[in-house]
């Protein structure tokens, strides 16, 4: 009888995964879980601010909780209630939140390859594709730890964000006018705190400054929510200006 051998995948295991048959070290798993829990808890507590901001914008407790349960992307949620609080049209506010949340689709394109999840698990995973879960997952080596980091971060943040949204909305409803307590500024403050660490390069700083100038400059003359959409034009404007500054191939000095 001819000897049978198990086919070997020429690509081998994903980078960073242990060899087949060898379990991952428990210490490495614990480190990934600690990192994921740290991110999930730190960001999840911001749900208090969202709940209070949503109540201050006129949303009911049920509406605030529905946003956190069904939308679950903090920046978009803050953008939506911020535009509503400024008197913006609901459709304009929703459009701004939609375009802001569209970035998660690009995270999903990369994560779909790294996670390689079964088809039945993809809808749940897609709902948890946000900045924090993507950052923790992409920082890992190997499919096992990528999945572990993604799901622990996503589950921790989802549960805590929704619980704190409920508590924040109930608390704001109980104290009455959130502006009297300064809670109307909580949403923008948290949004800036989440955004600031992402602005690292000179190009990003110029883009952020241009967006601020556009948003503030147009605030007195455009309906609420519209300046946020127009401020998004800062990114293509900076890229266009940067392209104009670069010399064309024909203008470069010969070597």
């Amino acid at each position: 009888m001819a000897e049978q051998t198990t086919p070997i995948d020429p690509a081998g295991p994903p980078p960073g995964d242990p060899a087949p048959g060898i379990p991952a070290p428990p210490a490495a798993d614990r480190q990934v879980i600690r990192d994921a829990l740290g991110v999930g808890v730190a960001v999840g507590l911001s749900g208090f601010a969202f709940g209070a901001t949503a109540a201050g914008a006129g949303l009911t407790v049920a509406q605030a909780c529905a946003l956190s349960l069904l939308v679950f992307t903090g920046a978009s949620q803050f953008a939506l209630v911020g535009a509503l609080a400024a008197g913006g049209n609901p459709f304009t506010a929703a459009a701004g939140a939609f375009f802001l949340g569209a970035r998660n689709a690009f995270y999903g394109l990369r994560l779909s390859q790294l996670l390689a999840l079964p088809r039945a698990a993809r809808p749940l995973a897609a709902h948890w594709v946000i900045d924090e879960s993507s950052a923790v997952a992409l920082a890992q080596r190997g499919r096992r730890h990528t999945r572990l980091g993604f799901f622990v971060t996503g589950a921790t943040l989802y549960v805590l964000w929704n619980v704190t949204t409920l508590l924040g909305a109930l608390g704001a409803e109980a104290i009455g006018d959130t502006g009297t307590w300064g809670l109307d500024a909580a949403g923008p403050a948290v949004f800036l705190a989440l955004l600031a660490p992402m602005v690292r390069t000179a190009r990003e700083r110029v883009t952020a400054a241009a967006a601020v100038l556009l948003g503030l400059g147009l605030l007195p003359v455009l309906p609420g929510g519209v300046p946020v959409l127009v401020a998004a034009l800062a990114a293509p404007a900076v890229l266009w200006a940067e392209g104009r500054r670069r010399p064309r191939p024909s203008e470069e000095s010969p070597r």
Side-chain angles (χ1 to χ4, degrees):
M1 178 182 292
E3 182 180 0
Q4 295 182 351
T5 58
T6 303
I8 299 176
D9 182 2
D17 273 358
I22 301 178
D29 288 357
R30 288 195 296 268
Q31 180 62 49
V32 175
I33 293 172
R34 280 197 299 267
D35 293 344
L37 288 175
V39 172
V41 171
V43 179
L45 294 176
S46 302
F48 282 114
F50 172 72
T53 304
L59 274 67
T60 65
V61 174
Q63 289 171 331
C65 292
L67 274 175
S68 286
L69 285 168
L70 302 177
V71 178
F72 187 53
T73 169
S76 297
Q77 292 177 232
F78 276 118
L80 176 63
V81 298
L84 292 176
N89 182 287
F91 294 103
T92 304
F98 172 80
F99 285 117
L100 191 57
R103 71 192 186 284
N104 295 334
F106 296 99
Y107 299 154
L109 292 175
R110 178 59 177 151
L111 288 174
S112 65
Q113 301 173 352
L114 297 177
L115 297 174
L117 296 172
R119 189 178 299 275
R122 291 175 189 173
L124 171 63
H127 194 49
W128 287 356
V129 174
I130 54 175
D131 294 331
E132 293 77 18
S133 61
S134 300
V136 173
L138 293 172
Q140 308 308 320
R141 284 180 54 82
R143 182 163 296 150
R144 173 190 173 88
H145 287 160
T146 299
R147 289 178 173 178
L148 186 62
F150 176 82
F151 281 108
V152 173
T153 305
T156 304
L157 188 48
Y158 188 74
V159 171
L160 193 54
W161 179 266
N162 281 282
V163 170
T164 53
T165 293
L166 173 62
L167 296 177
L170 289 173
E173 192 176 65
I175 65 175
D177 184 11
T178 56
T180 304
W181 300 85
L183 293 178
D184 55 333
V190 172
F191 184 82
L192 290 176
L194 294 174
L195 180 64
M198 304 180 189
V199 181
R200 300 186 182 93
T201 66
R203 176 194 295 169
E204 292 168 349
R205 287 191 290 269
V206 171
T207 303
V212 169
L213 291 175
L214 277 173
L216 293 179
L218 296 173
L219 194 59
V221 297
L222 292 177
V226 177
V228 176
L229 296 177
V230 178
L233 296 176
V238 170
L239 291 175
W240 176 81
E242 197 174 67
R244 294 276 295 178
R245 290 175 54 190
R246 291 176 182 169
R248 296 179 181 178
S250 58
E251 297 174 356
E252 293 179 352
S253 57
R255 296 186 178 182

